[in-house]
């Protein structure tokens, strides 16, 4: 009788362990499917965020701000899916893509900004030459002061100078 009870108990425990193993495998399978779906959704959102960030950039400094924001999102994605090795390569590729994209975009922004500074400086140079030519005609200091106080071209040169400073070129 004792042997039969022990055999029955061993059989029950064996079945229980098999069911627990099956349950654990099924749970892991469901977790993997859920992780795949969640990762795909979050990865799409990250790609859309990259596109949106690029469209919001107005200055080279904006590139740094947006890049930091998106790399923070990548870090969140990496920490969320740290236990799923199959996503690491995609995450690292996306990080590299974001870094490269923003470096290139920033360089484009810097080039455009520099070109704008050059154009504004060129316009200011033309205006300054015209002003220099005009001030040669004045014979009194009073007339010269009135000219500098009231002439639109002088005001425009001041405005152009301010624009150049706003664009980050304080040397000109």
């Amino acid at each position: 009788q004792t042997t039969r009870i022990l055999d029955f108990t061993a059989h029950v425990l064996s079945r229980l362990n098999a069911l627990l193993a099956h349950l654990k495998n099924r749970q892991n399978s469901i977790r993997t499917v859920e992780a795949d779906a969640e990762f795909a959704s979050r990865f799409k959102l990250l790609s859309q965020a990259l596109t949106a960030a690029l469209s919001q950039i107005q200055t080279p400094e904006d590139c740094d701000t947006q890049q930091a924001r998106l790399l923070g999102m990548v870090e969140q994605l990496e920490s969320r899916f740290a236990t799923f090795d199959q996503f690491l390569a995609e995450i690292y590729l996306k990080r590299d893509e974001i870094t490269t994209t923003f470096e290139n975009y920033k360089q484009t922004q810097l080039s455009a900004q520099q070109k704008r500074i050059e154009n504004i400086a060129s316009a200011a140079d033309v205006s300054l030459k015209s002003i220099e030519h005009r001030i040669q005609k004045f014979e009194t200091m009073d007339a010269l002061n009135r000219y500098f106080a009231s002439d639109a071209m002088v005001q425009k040169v001041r405005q152009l100078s301010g624009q150049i400073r706003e664009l980050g070129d304080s040397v000109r």
Side-chain angles (χ1 to χ4, degrees):
Q1 179 95 9
T2 304
T3 305
R4 203 171 61 164
I5 293 173
L6 287 175
D7 282 342
F8 184 71
T9 304
H11 177 71
V12 168
L13 289 175
S14 170
R15 289 287 296 149
L16 181 62
N17 287 336
L19 286 172
L20 288 174
H22 178 73
L23 182 62
K24 185 175 180 179
N25 287 339
R26 180 72 178 131
Q27 187 179 30
N28 287 339
S29 173
I30 291 171
R31 187 177 297 133
T32 300
V33 169
E34 284 293 318
D36 286 343
E38 183 181 354
F39 180 79
S41 294
R42 287 181 185 251
F43 207 73
K44 284 179 189 175
L45 287 174
L46 181 61
S47 295
Q48 291 170 355
L50 174 59
T51 303
L54 291 174
S55 70
Q56 294 175 359
I57 293 174
Q58 300 296 322
T59 66
E61 293 78 22
D62 291 345
C63 286
D64 294 334
T65 303
Q66 293 294 341
Q67 181 180 5
R69 185 178 69 81
L70 285 173
L71 289 177
M73 291 173 69
V74 170
E75 290 297 323
Q76 288 176 348
L77 194 65
E78 186 177 5
S79 67
R80 170 67 181 95
F81 295 99
T83 58
F84 298 96
D85 296 336
Q86 69 266 29
F87 301 133
L88 290 179
E90 286 183 75
I91 292 171
Y92 294 156
L93 283 173
K94 184 56 89 171
R95 176 183 286 123
D96 186 52
E97 176 190 343
I98 288 169
T99 302
T100 303
T101 299
F102 277 103
E103 286 172 357
N104 292 338
Y105 205 79
K106 183 176 183 178
Q107 189 58 47
T108 302
Q109 289 286 318
L110 288 169
S111 296
Q113 184 178 31
Q114 192 61 39
K115 184 171 176 65
R116 184 156 187 247
I117 289 170
E118 291 295 327
N119 290 338
I120 293 170
S122 177
D125 285 343
V126 169
S127 297
L128 285 172
K129 286 178 184 170
S130 176
I131 291 170
E132 184 179 340
H133 179 69
R134 286 185 187 176
I135 62 172
Q136 301 294 328
K137 298 176 185 176
F138 293 107
E139 295 179 8
T140 66
M141 187 59 93
D142 191 39
L144 188 61
N145 286 335
R146 277 196 309 271
Y147 172 74
F148 278 112
S150 63
D151 189 70
M153 192 168 293
V154 172
Q155 299 303 320
K156 187 63 176 175
V157 169
R158 286 185 184 129
Q159 181 185 19
L160 293 173
S161 174
Q163 287 178 0
I164 289 172
R165 276 191 302 278
E166 285 177 8
L167 289 171
D169 190 346
S170 60
V171 176
R172 296 179 198 254

mmCIF file of all heavy atoms in Angstrom, residues 83-113:
data_model
loop_
_atom_site.group_PDB
_atom_site.id
_atom_site.type_symbol
_atom_site.label_atom_id
_atom_site.label_comp_id
_atom_site.label_asym_id
_atom_site.label_seq_id
_atom_site.Cartn_x
_atom_site.Cartn_y
_atom_site.Cartn_z
ATOM 1 N N THR A 83 16.229 42.614 -21.645
ATOM 2 C CA THR A 83 16.244 41.154 -21.496
ATOM 3 C C THR A 83 16.001 40.419 -22.819
ATOM 4 O O THR A 83 16.074 39.198 -22.856
ATOM 5 C CB THR A 83 15.188 40.705 -20.470
ATOM 6 O OG1 THR A 83 13.897 41.154 -20.901
ATOM 7 C CG2 THR A 83 15.513 41.263 -19.086
ATOM 8 N N PHE A 84 15.708 41.165 -23.879
ATOM 9 C CA PHE A 84 15.437 40.551 -25.183
ATOM 10 C C PHE A 84 16.595 40.866 -26.123
ATOM 11 O O PHE A 84 16.641 41.918 -26.760
ATOM 12 C CB PHE A 84 14.118 41.074 -25.767
ATOM 13 C CG PHE A 84 12.922 40.748 -24.926
ATOM 14 C CD1 PHE A 84 12.420 41.676 -24.017
ATOM 15 C CD2 PHE A 84 12.298 39.523 -25.033
ATOM 16 C CE1 PHE A 84 11.319 41.384 -23.234
ATOM 17 C CE2 PHE A 84 11.192 39.220 -24.250
ATOM 18 C CZ PHE A 84 10.702 40.152 -23.344
ATOM 19 N N ASP A 85 17.527 39.938 -26.218
ATOM 20 C CA ASP A 85 18.732 40.138 -27.011
ATOM 21 C C ASP A 85 18.453 40.360 -28.493
ATOM 22 O O ASP A 85 19.242 41.005 -29.179
ATOM 23 C CB ASP A 85 19.680 38.942 -26.855
ATOM 24 C CG ASP A 85 20.182 38.795 -25.430
ATOM 25 O OD1 ASP A 85 20.199 39.802 -24.696
ATOM 26 O OD2 ASP A 85 20.567 37.667 -25.059
ATOM 27 N N GLN A 86 17.358 39.840 -28.989
ATOM 28 C CA GLN A 86 17.072 39.932 -30.414
ATOM 29 C C GLN A 86 16.826 41.374 -30.870
ATOM 30 O O GLN A 86 16.889 41.667 -32.061
ATOM 31 C CB GLN A 86 15.883 39.039 -30.813
ATOM 32 C CG GLN A 86 14.524 39.473 -30.294
ATOM 33 C CD GLN A 86 14.141 38.811 -28.985
ATOM 34 O OE1 GLN A 86 15.001 38.463 -28.192
ATOM 35 N NE2 GLN A 86 12.850 38.640 -28.760
ATOM 36 N N PHE A 87 16.580 42.299 -29.926
ATOM 37 C CA PHE A 87 16.301 43.693 -30.291
ATOM 38 C C PHE A 87 17.539 44.585 -30.221
ATOM 39 O O PHE A 87 17.515 45.712 -30.715
ATOM 40 C CB PHE A 87 15.226 44.276 -29.377
ATOM 41 C CG PHE A 87 13.928 43.532 -29.406
ATOM 42 C CD1 PHE A 87 13.285 43.198 -28.225
ATOM 43 C CD2 PHE A 87 13.332 43.158 -30.603
ATOM 44 C CE1 PHE A 87 12.083 42.515 -28.235
ATOM 45 C CE2 PHE A 87 12.133 42.471 -30.622
ATOM 46 C CZ PHE A 87 11.502 42.143 -29.434
ATOM 47 N N LEU A 88 18.593 44.110 -29.607
ATOM 48 C CA LEU A 88 19.763 44.959 -29.377
ATOM 49 C C LEU A 88 20.373 45.484 -30.673
ATOM 50 O O LEU A 88 20.730 46.660 -30.758
ATOM 51 C CB LEU A 88 20.815 44.213 -28.563
ATOM 52 C CG LEU A 88 20.452 43.941 -27.101
ATOM 53 C CD1 LEU A 88 21.577 43.167 -26.414
ATOM 54 C CD2 LEU A 88 20.158 45.228 -26.366
ATOM 55 N N ALA A 89 20.503 44.647 -31.680
ATOM 56 C CA ALA A 89 21.105 45.088 -32.943
ATOM 57 C C ALA A 89 20.293 46.214 -33.571
ATOM 58 O O ALA A 89 20.856 47.215 -34.033
ATOM 59 C CB ALA A 89 21.237 43.914 -33.906
ATOM 60 N N GLU A 90 18.980 46.075 -33.582
ATOM 61 C CA GLU A 90 18.122 47.120 -34.142
ATOM 62 C C GLU A 90 18.237 48.417 -33.358
ATOM 63 O O GLU A 90 18.262 49.500 -33.938
ATOM 64 C CB GLU A 90 16.657 46.665 -34.167
ATOM 65 C CG GLU A 90 16.345 45.658 -35.236
ATOM 66 C CD GLU A 90 14.870 45.299 -35.266
ATOM 67 O OE1 GLU A 90 14.078 46.128 -35.743
ATOM 68 O OE2 GLU A 90 14.538 44.200 -34.783
ATOM 69 N N ILE A 91 18.292 48.303 -32.044
ATOM 70 C CA ILE A 91 18.415 49.493 -31.201
ATOM 71 C C ILE A 91 19.738 50.202 -31.478
ATOM 72 O O ILE A 91 19.780 51.431 -31.636
ATOM 73 C CB ILE A 91 18.281 49.120 -29.706
ATOM 74 C CG1 ILE A 91 16.844 48.671 -29.404
ATOM 75 C CG2 ILE A 91 18.677 50.296 -28.818
ATOM 76 C CD1 ILE A 91 16.652 48.067 -28.023
ATOM 77 N N TYR A 92 20.824 49.445 -31.567
ATOM 78 C CA TYR A 92 22.135 50.046 -31.823
ATOM 79 C C TYR A 92 22.198 50.676 -33.210
ATOM 80 O O TYR A 92 22.799 51.737 -33.392
ATOM 81 C CB TYR A 92 23.251 49.025 -31.637
ATOM 82 C CG TYR A 92 23.400 48.545 -30.206
ATOM 83 C CD1 TYR A 92 23.969 47.322 -29.924
ATOM 84 C CD2 TYR A 92 22.968 49.314 -29.132
ATOM 85 C CE1 TYR A 92 24.113 46.875 -28.609
ATOM 86 C CE2 TYR A 92 23.097 48.876 -27.826
ATOM 87 C CZ TYR A 92 23.670 47.663 -27.572
ATOM 88 O OH TYR A 92 23.801 47.225 -26.276
ATOM 89 N N LEU A 93 21.577 50.027 -34.185
ATOM 90 C CA LEU A 93 21.529 50.596 -35.532
ATOM 91 C C LEU A 93 20.734 51.907 -35.546
ATOM 92 O O LEU A 93 21.126 52.878 -36.207
ATOM 93 C CB LEU A 93 20.916 49.605 -36.519
ATOM 94 C CG LEU A 93 21.828 48.475 -36.979
ATOM 95 C CD1 LEU A 93 21.042 47.457 -37.813
ATOM 96 C CD2 LEU A 93 22.998 49.024 -37.778
ATOM 97 N N LYS A 94 19.644 51.931 -34.805
ATOM 98 C CA LYS A 94 18.816 53.138 -34.755
ATOM 99 C C LYS A 94 19.576 54.267 -34.065
ATOM 100 O O LYS A 94 19.519 55.426 -34.489
ATOM 101 C CB LYS A 94 17.491 52.858 -34.044
ATOM 102 C CG LYS A 94 16.527 54.039 -34.025
ATOM 103 C CD LYS A 94 16.227 54.563 -35.414
ATOM 104 C CE LYS A 94 15.062 53.881 -36.035
ATOM 105 N NZ LYS A 94 14.642 54.539 -37.307
ATOM 106 N N ARG A 95 20.314 53.934 -32.998
ATOM 107 C CA ARG A 95 21.118 54.951 -32.310
ATOM 108 C C ARG A 95 22.139 55.548 -33.281
ATOM 109 O O ARG A 95 22.318 56.761 -33.357
ATOM 110 C CB ARG A 95 21.835 54.361 -31.100
ATOM 111 C CG ARG A 95 22.753 55.377 -30.412
ATOM 112 C CD ARG A 95 23.517 54.803 -29.257
ATOM 113 N NE ARG A 95 22.630 54.611 -28.131
ATOM 114 C CZ ARG A 95 22.431 53.456 -27.510
ATOM 115 N NH1 ARG A 95 23.082 52.386 -27.883
ATOM 116 N NH2 ARG A 95 21.602 53.363 -26.496
ATOM 117 N N ASP A 96 22.807 54.677 -34.038
ATOM 118 C CA ASP A 96 23.794 55.144 -35.006
ATOM 119 C C ASP A 96 23.131 55.986 -36.099
ATOM 120 O O ASP A 96 23.663 57.021 -36.506
ATOM 121 C CB ASP A 96 24.523 53.946 -35.618
ATOM 122 C CG ASP A 96 25.659 54.367 -36.514
ATOM 123 O OD1 ASP A 96 26.507 55.164 -36.067
ATOM 124 O OD2 ASP A 96 25.699 53.913 -37.681
ATOM 125 N N GLU A 97 21.971 55.565 -36.556
ATOM 126 C CA GLU A 97 21.226 56.317 -37.572
ATOM 127 C C GLU A 97 20.878 57.712 -37.060
ATOM 128 O O GLU A 97 21.035 58.712 -37.773
ATOM 129 C CB GLU A 97 19.951 55.570 -37.962
ATOM 130 C CG GLU A 97 19.074 56.330 -38.931
ATOM 131 C CD GLU A 97 17.694 55.701 -39.122
ATOM 132 O OE1 GLU A 97 17.516 54.521 -38.761
ATOM 133 O OE2 GLU A 97 16.799 56.402 -39.612
ATOM 134 N N ILE A 98 20.388 57.788 -35.834
ATOM 135 C CA ILE A 98 20.007 59.080 -35.250
ATOM 136 C C ILE A 98 21.236 59.991 -35.134
ATOM 137 O O ILE A 98 21.189 61.161 -35.524
ATOM 138 C CB ILE A 98 19.332 58.878 -33.882
ATOM 139 C CG1 ILE A 98 17.935 58.278 -34.080
ATOM 140 C CG2 ILE A 98 19.249 60.186 -33.104
ATOM 141 C CD1 ILE A 98 17.271 57.797 -32.806
ATOM 142 N N THR A 99 22.320 59.444 -34.628
ATOM 143 C CA THR A 99 23.537 60.242 -34.462
ATOM 144 C C THR A 99 24.036 60.753 -35.809
ATOM 145 O O THR A 99 24.327 61.946 -35.962
ATOM 146 C CB THR A 99 24.625 59.407 -33.762
ATOM 147 O OG1 THR A 99 24.121 58.965 -32.497
ATOM 148 C CG2 THR A 99 25.881 60.212 -33.538
ATOM 149 N N THR A 100 24.110 59.887 -36.796
ATOM 150 C CA THR A 100 24.581 60.267 -38.125
ATOM 151 C C THR A 100 23.650 61.284 -38.770
ATOM 152 O O THR A 100 24.104 62.280 -39.347
ATOM 153 C CB THR A 100 24.706 59.022 -39.024
ATOM 154 O OG1 THR A 100 25.592 58.094 -38.396
ATOM 155 C CG2 THR A 100 25.222 59.373 -40.396
ATOM 156 N N THR A 101 22.359 61.043 -38.664
ATOM 157 C CA THR A 101 21.382 61.952 -39.259
ATOM 158 C C THR A 101 21.501 63.343 -38.670
ATOM 159 O O THR A 101 21.528 64.344 -39.407
ATOM 160 C CB THR A 101 19.947 61.411 -39.043
ATOM 161 O OG1 THR A 101 19.840 60.134 -39.678
ATOM 162 C CG2 THR A 101 18.909 62.358 -39.616
ATOM 163 N N PHE A 102 21.595 63.428 -37.357
ATOM 164 C CA PHE A 102 21.682 64.741 -36.731
ATOM 165 C C PHE A 102 23.026 65.426 -37.000
ATOM 166 O O PHE A 102 23.076 66.655 -37.150
ATOM 167 C CB PHE A 102 21.397 64.665 -35.237
ATOM 168 C CG PHE A 102 19.935 64.672 -34.938
ATOM 169 C CD1 PHE A 102 19.276 63.507 -34.601
ATOM 170 C CD2 PHE A 102 19.198 65.839 -35.014
ATOM 171 C CE1 PHE A 102 17.918 63.500 -34.343
ATOM 172 C CE2 PHE A 102 17.842 65.845 -34.764
ATOM 173 C CZ PHE A 102 17.196 64.683 -34.427
ATOM 174 N N GLU A 103 24.102 64.660 -37.067
ATOM 175 C CA GLU A 103 25.396 65.266 -37.410
ATOM 176 C C GLU A 103 25.341 65.876 -38.808
ATOM 177 O O GLU A 103 25.790 67.002 -39.023
ATOM 178 C CB GLU A 103 26.515 64.229 -37.326
ATOM 179 C CG GLU A 103 26.907 63.860 -35.914
ATOM 180 C CD GLU A 103 27.890 62.693 -35.854
ATOM 181 O OE1 GLU A 103 28.238 62.112 -36.910
ATOM 182 O OE2 GLU A 103 28.303 62.366 -34.732
ATOM 183 N N ASN A 104 24.782 65.130 -39.757
ATOM 184 C CA ASN A 104 24.664 65.632 -41.130
ATOM 185 C C ASN A 104 23.725 66.836 -41.202
ATOM 186 O O ASN A 104 24.011 67.819 -41.886
ATOM 187 C CB ASN A 104 24.176 64.531 -42.070
ATOM 188 C CG ASN A 104 25.201 63.439 -42.245
ATOM 189 O OD1 ASN A 104 26.388 63.631 -42.020
ATOM 190 N ND2 ASN A 104 24.745 62.264 -42.632
ATOM 191 N N TYR A 105 22.600 66.738 -40.499
ATOM 192 C CA TYR A 105 21.628 67.826 -40.527
ATOM 193 C C TYR A 105 22.209 69.085 -39.879
ATOM 194 O O TYR A 105 21.991 70.194 -40.359
ATOM 195 C CB TYR A 105 20.342 67.382 -39.813
ATOM 196 C CG TYR A 105 19.121 68.125 -40.278
ATOM 197 C CD1 TYR A 105 18.498 67.778 -41.472
ATOM 198 C CD2 TYR A 105 18.572 69.160 -39.537
ATOM 199 C CE1 TYR A 105 17.372 68.454 -41.908
ATOM 200 C CE2 TYR A 105 17.458 69.842 -39.971
ATOM 201 C CZ TYR A 105 16.857 69.481 -41.159
ATOM 202 O OH TYR A 105 15.748 70.151 -41.593
ATOM 203 N N LYS A 106 22.965 68.895 -38.800
ATOM 204 C CA LYS A 106 23.586 70.035 -38.132
ATOM 205 C C LYS A 106 24.598 70.694 -39.060
ATOM 206 O O LYS A 106 24.666 71.928 -39.128
ATOM 207 C CB LYS A 106 24.264 69.598 -36.831
ATOM 208 C CG LYS A 106 24.863 70.751 -36.062
ATOM 209 C CD LYS A 106 25.442 70.300 -34.748
ATOM 210 C CE LYS A 106 25.964 71.481 -33.948
ATOM 211 N NZ LYS A 106 26.484 71.063 -32.643
ATOM 212 N N GLN A 107 25.355 69.892 -39.762
ATOM 213 C CA GLN A 107 26.329 70.459 -40.703
ATOM 214 C C GLN A 107 25.618 71.249 -41.795
ATOM 215 O O GLN A 107 26.069 72.331 -42.182
ATOM 216 C CB GLN A 107 27.193 69.348 -41.313
ATOM 217 C CG GLN A 107 28.346 69.881 -42.122
ATOM 218 C CD GLN A 107 29.266 70.777 -41.319
ATOM 219 O OE1 GLN A 107 29.656 70.462 -40.214
ATOM 220 N NE2 GLN A 107 29.614 71.929 -41.876
ATOM 221 N N THR A 108 24.503 70.732 -42.275
ATOM 222 C CA THR A 108 23.710 71.449 -43.269
ATOM 223 C C THR A 108 23.204 72.764 -42.700
ATOM 224 O O THR A 108 23.252 73.809 -43.365
ATOM 225 C CB THR A 108 22.519 70.576 -43.732
ATOM 226 O OG1 THR A 108 23.029 69.361 -44.270
ATOM 227 C CG2 THR A 108 21.670 71.281 -44.758
ATOM 228 N N GLN A 109 22.714 72.723 -41.463
ATOM 229 C CA GLN A 109 22.233 73.937 -40.801
ATOM 230 C C GLN A 109 23.361 74.957 -40.629
ATOM 231 O O GLN A 109 23.166 76.149 -40.854
ATOM 232 C CB GLN A 109 21.634 73.599 -39.431
ATOM 233 C CG GLN A 109 20.312 72.877 -39.484
ATOM 234 C CD GLN A 109 19.198 73.800 -39.887
ATOM 235 O OE1 GLN A 109 19.116 74.928 -39.449
ATOM 236 N NE2 GLN A 109 18.325 73.307 -40.743
ATOM 237 N N LEU A 110 24.537 74.480 -40.213
ATOM 238 C CA LEU A 110 25.682 75.385 -40.034
ATOM 239 C C LEU A 110 26.098 76.010 -41.360
ATOM 240 O O LEU A 110 26.403 77.213 -41.416
ATOM 241 C CB LEU A 110 26.864 74.642 -39.408
ATOM 242 C CG LEU A 110 26.724 74.281 -37.934
ATOM 243 C CD1 LEU A 110 27.834 73.330 -37.507
ATOM 244 C CD2 LEU A 110 26.725 75.543 -37.075
ATOM 245 N N SER A 111 26.093 75.227 -42.418
ATOM 246 C CA SER A 111 26.446 75.755 -43.740
ATOM 247 C C SER A 111 25.433 76.805 -44.195
ATOM 248 O O SER A 111 25.817 77.861 -44.708
ATOM 249 C CB SER A 111 26.516 74.624 -44.765
ATOM 250 O OG SER A 111 27.543 73.729 -44.440
ATOM 251 N N ALA A 112 24.164 76.518 -44.003
ATOM 252 C CA ALA A 112 23.117 77.477 -44.379
ATOM 253 C C ALA A 112 23.233 78.749 -43.544
ATOM 254 O O ALA A 112 23.066 79.867 -44.065
ATOM 255 C CB ALA A 112 21.735 76.850 -44.210
ATOM 256 N N GLN A 113 23.505 78.601 -42.261
ATOM 257 C CA GLN A 113 23.649 79.759 -41.381
ATOM 258 C C GLN A 113 24.854 80.602 -41.816
ATOM 259 O O GLN A 113 24.773 81.832 -41.871
ATOM 260 C CB GLN A 113 23.820 79.296 -39.938
ATOM 261 C CG GLN A 113 23.879 80.411 -38.931
ATOM 262 C CD GLN A 113 24.013 79.876 -37.511
ATOM 263 O OE1 GLN A 113 24.599 78.821 -37.276
ATOM 264 N NE2 GLN A 113 23.460 80.591 -36.569
#
